[in-house]
Amino acid sequence: MTAGSSGAGSFTVQVAKALGAKVAATTRNNDKIDAVRALGADLVVNSTDERWANQIQSWTDGKGVDVAVDFVGGRQFSQVLDAPPGLWASSCRSAS
């Protein structure tokens, strides 16, 4: 999921883990990576790194994700789709 350190992202990380999911999340701030991990995310990547979608793809052994949740929109929307999900959900769209 994108924006794992946001309010909605933090909540979603915890719910997904409570449901037994393996969770990959993004944040734009390296200082927040440990906090997102502490919420339960198995993988946390910095979305300012152009390779973040590739990192998630590698983490899934090239299979992609079962569910992708996007709280950012805009440019990250296309990168979310680079890690092909079975189901994609977005709560917003922003121009960038």
Side-chain angles (χ1 to χ4, degrees):
M1 89 188 49
T2 60
S5 58
S6 69
S10 297
F11 175 77
T12 305
V13 167
Q14 293 174 81
V15 170
K17 284 309 287 187
L19 294 173
K22 291 183 179 178
V23 177
T26 69
T27 183
R28 293 182 182 194
N29 186 328
N30 284 335
D31 294 336
K32 295 182 179 181
I33 288 175
D34 287 338
V36 178
R37 266 197 204 109
L39 293 171
D42 300 289
L43 173 71
V44 184
V45 296
N46 188 320
S47 60
T48 63
D49 181 336
E50 293 293 322
R51 300 165 296 165
W52 72 265
N54 293 336
Q55 293 170 343
I56 293 172
Q57 193 76 340
S58 176
W59 180 68
T60 65
D61 295 323
K63 297 174 187 162
V65 297
D66 294 324
V67 178
V69 180
D70 178 30
F71 292 114
V72 178
R75 184 169 180 259
Q76 285 196 10
F77 169 74
S78 65
Q79 290 176 303
V80 168
L81 297 180
D82 285 344
L87 174 66
W88 176 80
S90 178
S91 68
C92 67
R93 291 206 187 188
S94 62
S96 57

